[in-house]
Amino acid sequence: MGESRADWLAWTAVLAVGLLHVWEVSCHHHALNSLSVAEQKVVSLKTENAFYYSYFEEVVAAPTLGEALLCALRDRRSEAPDVINALHRFNIYQELLCGLLYRLA
Protein backbone atom coordinates (compact mmCIF):
# COMPACT_ATOMS: atom_id res chain seq x y z
CA MET A 1 0.00 0.00 0.00
CA GLY A 2 2.87 2.37 0.84
CA GLU A 3 4.59 1.70 -2.46
CA SER A 4 1.52 2.61 -4.52
CA ARG A 5 1.17 5.89 -2.64
CA ALA A 6 4.88 6.65 -3.19
CA ASP A 7 4.45 5.80 -6.88
CA TRP A 8 1.41 8.07 -7.08
CA LEU A 9 3.34 10.93 -5.46
CA ALA A 10 6.31 10.38 -7.78
CA TRP A 11 4.11 10.40 -10.90
CA THR A 12 2.27 13.49 -9.65
CA ALA A 13 5.59 15.28 -9.14
CA VAL A 14 6.80 14.21 -12.61
CA LEU A 15 3.56 15.45 -14.18
CA ALA A 16 3.72 18.76 -12.29
CA VAL A 17 7.34 19.37 -13.31
CA GLY A 18 6.51 18.45 -16.92
CA LEU A 19 3.58 20.87 -17.00
CA LEU A 20 5.70 23.64 -15.48
CA HIS A 21 8.37 23.02 -18.12
CA VAL A 22 5.83 23.20 -20.97
CA TRP A 23 4.42 26.42 -19.49
CA GLU A 24 7.90 27.96 -19.14
CA VAL A 25 8.86 27.07 -22.72
CA SER A 26 5.61 28.46 -24.13
CA CYS A 27 6.11 31.71 -22.18
CA HIS A 28 9.66 31.95 -23.50
CA HIS A 29 8.52 31.40 -27.09
CA HIS A 30 5.72 33.94 -26.67
CA ALA A 31 8.20 36.52 -25.34
CA LEU A 32 10.61 35.86 -28.22
CA ASN A 33 7.88 36.02 -30.86
CA SER A 34 6.87 39.49 -29.69
CA LEU A 35 10.37 40.83 -30.52
CA SER A 36 11.73 41.86 -33.89
CA VAL A 37 13.96 39.41 -35.74
CA ALA A 38 17.12 41.41 -34.92
CA GLU A 39 16.22 41.46 -31.22
CA GLN A 40 15.44 37.73 -31.30
CA LYS A 41 18.92 36.96 -32.57
CA VAL A 42 20.60 38.88 -29.75
CA VAL A 43 18.30 37.60 -27.00
CA SER A 44 18.63 33.97 -28.06
CA LEU A 45 22.40 34.03 -27.58
CA LYS A 46 23.51 32.39 -24.38
CA THR A 47 26.50 33.18 -22.16
CA GLU A 48 29.55 32.03 -24.10
CA ASN A 49 28.00 32.63 -27.51
CA ALA A 50 27.03 36.16 -26.54
CA PHE A 51 30.52 36.76 -25.17
CA TYR A 52 32.18 35.89 -28.47
CA TYR A 53 29.46 37.62 -30.50
CA SER A 54 30.22 40.83 -28.59
CA TYR A 55 33.74 40.82 -30.03
CA PHE A 56 32.31 40.46 -33.55
CA GLU A 57 29.97 43.39 -32.86
CA GLU A 58 32.89 45.42 -31.53
CA VAL A 59 34.84 44.88 -34.77
CA VAL A 60 31.85 45.83 -36.89
CA ALA A 61 31.02 48.93 -34.82
CA ALA A 62 34.58 50.25 -34.48
CA PRO A 63 35.30 53.44 -36.46
CA THR A 64 38.41 51.91 -38.05
CA LEU A 65 39.91 48.45 -38.37
CA GLY A 66 42.93 49.63 -36.41
CA GLU A 67 40.76 50.60 -33.46
CA ALA A 68 38.96 47.27 -33.64
CA LEU A 69 42.25 45.40 -33.47
CA LEU A 70 43.50 47.66 -30.68
CA CYS A 71 40.36 46.97 -28.64
CA ALA A 72 40.97 43.23 -29.00
CA LEU A 73 44.63 43.55 -28.07
CA ARG A 74 43.92 45.79 -25.06
CA ASP A 75 40.62 44.50 -23.74
CA ARG A 76 39.50 46.25 -20.55
CA ARG A 77 35.96 44.88 -20.18
CA SER A 78 36.30 41.12 -19.81
CA GLU A 79 38.65 40.97 -16.81
CA ALA A 80 38.34 44.46 -15.38
CA PRO A 81 40.31 46.26 -14.04
CA ASP A 82 43.10 44.29 -15.77
CA VAL A 83 43.96 44.95 -19.41
CA ILE A 84 44.44 41.73 -21.35
CA ASN A 85 45.13 40.57 -24.88
CA ALA A 86 41.70 39.10 -25.70
CA LEU A 87 42.88 37.96 -29.10
CA HIS A 88 45.33 35.58 -27.48
CA ARG A 89 43.44 34.82 -24.25
CA PHE A 90 40.04 33.98 -25.76
CA ASN A 91 41.11 32.92 -29.25
CA ILE A 92 38.84 35.39 -31.02
CA TYR A 93 40.58 35.20 -34.39
CA GLN A 94 37.39 33.89 -36.02
CA GLU A 95 35.31 36.76 -34.67
CA LEU A 96 37.84 39.31 -35.90
CA LEU A 97 38.00 37.68 -39.33
CA CYS A 98 34.21 37.51 -39.64
CA GLY A 99 33.88 41.11 -38.49
CA LEU A 100 36.51 42.18 -41.01
CA LEU A 101 34.74 40.30 -43.82
CA TYR A 102 31.41 41.83 -42.79
CA ARG A 103 32.89 45.31 -42.90
CA LEU A 104 34.40 44.70 -46.35
CA ALA A 105 31.17 43.28 -47.78
Side-chain angles (χ1 to χ4, degrees), residues 70-91:
L70 189 61
C71 286
L73 292 174
R74 295 185 182 154
D75 182 32
R76 297 175 188 270
R77 63 188 170 112
S78 57
E79 293 186 9
D82 298 332
V83 176
I84 63 165
N85 180 348
L87 187 63
H88 176 70
R89 173 105 161 93
F90 301 119
N91 192 22

Side-chain angles (χ1 to χ4, degrees), residues 7-91:
D7 289 344
W8 182 83
L9 285 173
W11 282 109
T12 303
V14 167
L15 181 63
V17 168
L19 289 173
L20 284 172
H21 175 69
V22 169
W23 177 72
E24 179 185 15
V25 169
S26 66
C27 288
H28 179 71
H29 282 288
H30 176 70
L32 280 180
N33 288 336
S34 65
L35 300 173
S36 69
V37 175
E39 290 172 325
Q40 286 180 16
K41 289 179 183 178
V42 174
V43 168
S44 65
L45 292 173
K46 303 291 184 206
T47 57
E48 187 176 347
N49 294 336
F51 177 73
Y52 285 101
Y53 182 73
S54 70
Y55 286 105
F56 167 79
E57 280 187 325
E58 192 173 90
V59 171
V60 172
T64 65
L65 292 176
E67 280 190 47
L69 183 59
L70 189 61
C71 286
L73 292 174
R74 295 185 182 154
D75 182 32
R76 297 175 188 270
R77 63 188 170 112
S78 57
E79 293 186 9
D82 298 332
V83 176
I84 63 165
N85 180 348
L87 187 63
H88 176 70
R89 173 105 161 93
F90 301 119
N91 192 22

